[in-house]
Amino acid sequence: MKFRISSTCTTIILALIVAGCAAPEKRELSLERMAYVALPNGHDPLNPDQFIPELSSAATSAREGVTKYYERKRGHPLKVLMISGGGQNGAFGAGFVKGWTESGTRPQFDLVTGVSTGALMATHAFLGTPADDAVLEQLFTGITSADIYRKRPLLSILTGNSLMDTSPMKALIDKHITQEVVDRVGAEYDKNRRLWMGTTNMDYNQTWAWNMTLIAKDGDLELYRNVMLASAAPAIAFPPVEIHGHLFADGATRDNMLVIGLTGKDRPGPPLYGPGDFYVIYNGRLADPPRAVTNGIVAIAGTSIFTMMNSSMQSILLRAYFGARTHGYRFNMVQIPADVDVGGNPLAFDPEQMRRGFDAGHALGRQQPNSWEHEPPIVGEMPDWALEAIRTAR
């Protein structure tokens, strides 16, 4: 009896042989310090008992938390914006920001943080002009998946480090993050406004926050772009990014929102200038309706990432709410309304779904001041009495 091997089987066999022979190159653990990074509590990632240099010069306020430190530096109650991850659902946040501007009530933010798709939004949300809002609309409604990634061939997947090639996303970042844009961000450094982006350091299993205003002040366009690329690179689906010997992936791998130093080693005192505001834009929703998942690798990867982000978001929202309460600040959050169909795969980058998300955010942003929820929804196993304890933490 003769057996005939199909071309598909031949390809798979050859791919497995090559994959077995082409072991990934081993890496050494980098001990290189970088001037631009901190843990979310304001400490040095490689010396976690010490504050980063910017904070160590004012140790008293730093011990109370980064928020208290910048409250003193800015001389007024802070307006803090935190933008979550969410893949294509960043269209909701982009629409909300534009609607908020049109309402005439959008403040100039003192601190802005972004993770994943929130990192792609954060620069223009920080700069805050109508022209920047127009860039966000183009970025989240004028693209398809082809502008973010290309599927790798089977052989490349077996011998590489991701399912997708994100060269298109790098080109998109390069298009919108120009030297002129970075110079505008850097000009805010001496005004003590700060833009932070979160990544996951895979070597150290930590969230590393990047002071993008300091990077911009130093004029390092390449590093600025690489941090954004790393922050928006969900592991396995997208390739990690190596920076100064450290390997970084999507910030949402650990924390789907970057909460910078809301509490320090000491209990923070009352607000110096009256209550400020913490604003959270969640590019998702905590109670997403059930839906049948397409049984394909891209949909499975996207749904898995969404589940990870959603689970992470529940605990992070409570952390942000606790920080707001202990600082005597107001807590404000928005999420995608339950009746808006944005699909179940944040990696789909489907134009129709993104337009629906953008339009929903835009409408909600214009409804100031009635857009906000002032407590995180109780989801999962968090009992009411635990939220009440946080509510009265001050």
Side-chain angles (χ1 to χ4, degrees):
M1 181 180 295
K2 294 183 179 180
F3 296 93
R4 183 170 296 172
I5 301 177
S6 70
S7 59
T8 300
C9 290
T10 302
T11 300
I12 293 173
I13 292 169
L14 289 174
L16 291 173
I17 292 172
V18 171
C21 297
E25 182 179 352
K26 289 187 177 181
R27 299 172 52 252
E28 298 293 331
L29 182 67
S30 175
L31 301 177
E32 181 175 347
R33 282 186 165 82
M34 288 173 278
Y36 307 110
V37 294
L39 297 177
N41 63 3
H43 288 211
D44 182 339
L46 299 186
N47 192 5
D49 291 330
Q50 302 293 323
F51 289 105
I52 59 174
E54 180 178 352
L55 300 178
S56 61
S57 61
T60 299
S61 58
R63 286 183 63 88
E64 294 179 285
V66 178
T67 300
K68 185 65 66 179
Y69 171 81
Y70 285 116
E71 188 180 55
R72 287 187 166 93
K73 298 286 282 186
R74 290 287 283 168
H76 59 240
L78 299 184
K79 303 293 185 182
V80 181
L81 175 65
M82 294 171 273
I83 312 174
S84 83
Q88 70 169 15
N89 294 337
F92 167 77
F96 185 87
V97 165
K98 182 179 181 182
W100 196 356
T101 300
E102 293 172 0
S103 76
T105 64
R106 177 180 167 186
Q108 182 187 69
F109 303 112
D110 301 283
L111 300 176
V112 174
T113 75
V115 167
S116 195
T117 201
L120 299 181
M121 289 179 56
T123 296
H124 294 285
F126 178 76
L127 294 172
T129 69
D132 291 298
D133 293 348
V135 171
L136 290 177
E137 181 171 8
Q138 171 61 30
L139 189 60
F140 282 96
T141 64
I143 64 169
T144 68
S145 61
D147 297 296
I148 301 297
Y149 59 79
R150 293 191 293 260
K151 296 180 183 179
R152 294 187 187 274
L154 176 62
L155 181 59
S156 180
I157 291 173
L158 291 173
T159 59
N161 59 4
S162 66
L163 298 175
M164 312 294 181
D165 170 12
T166 52
S167 297
M169 183 167 70
K170 184 180 186 308
L172 194 65
I173 291 172
D174 291 351
K175 175 183 176 181
H176 291 290
I177 302 299
T178 63
Q179 188 64 60
E180 184 268 339
V181 168
V182 169
D183 289 344
R184 290 170 61 205
V185 173
E188 300 302 309
Y189 182 85
D190 291 333
K191 302 174 188 177
N192 293 309
R193 296 182 67 218
R194 293 293 182 268
L195 170 61
W196 296 85
M197 294 183 189
T199 60
T200 298
N201 187 318
M202 301 183 74
D203 298 323
Y204 285 80
N205 192 25
Q206 292 174 328
T207 296
W208 282 23
W210 295 79
N211 187 339
M212 305 302 286
T213 24
L214 183 56
I215 294 173
K217 179 180 171 63
D218 288 348
D220 197 334
L221 176 62
E222 181 181 4
L223 178 59
Y224 196 105
R225 290 168 167 173
N226 282 338
V227 171
M228 289 182 64
L229 185 65
S231 183
I236 301 176
F238 291 179
V241 177
E242 188 163 341
I243 302 174
H244 292 292
H246 297 268
L247 200 62
F248 293 96
D250 197 311
T253 304
R254 284 183 55 87
D255 292 313
N256 194 31
M257 186 175 75
L258 184 58
V259 180
I260 285 286
L262 295 184
T263 54
K265 290 186 176 181
D266 296 339
R267 186 186 182 100
L272 299 178
Y273 309 101
D277 285 281
F278 294 153
Y279 298 103
V280 172
I281 296 178
Y282 177 33
N283 292 304
R285 54 187 166 221
L286 293 175
D288 208 46
R291 66 177 68 240
V293 177
T294 302
N295 195 12
I297 191 165
V298 174
I300 292 295
T303 303
S304 299
I305 290 166
F306 172 81
T307 302
M308 172 189 70
M309 289 179 173
N310 202 43
S311 177
S312 166
M313 199 65 189
Q314 295 176 32
S315 62
I316 294 170
L317 283 172
L318 288 172
R319 193 187 316 162
Y321 181 63
F322 177 76
R325 296 302 305 166
T326 56
H327 279 80
Y329 273 35
R330 293 176 290 263
F331 176 86
N332 314 273
M333 70 163 285
V334 291
Q335 58 181 322
I336 299 175
D339 61 348
V340 179
D341 182 10
V342 292
N345 176 11
L347 296 185
F349 295 97
D350 178 279
E352 292 185 5
Q353 293 172 354
M354 286 189 290
R355 173 50 71 177
R356 284 197 292 269
F358 183 92
D359 289 345
H362 184 236
L364 196 59
R366 291 173 59 89
Q367 296 172 17
Q368 301 294 334
N370 301 316
S371 306
W372 304 101
E373 301 174 58
H374 298 291
E375 290 184 349
I378 294 295
V379 178
E381 300 180 357
M382 171 64 69
D384 289 337
W385 63 262
L387 184 62
E388 179 63 25
I390 298 174
R391 188 181 295 127
T392 58
R394 185 75 240 144

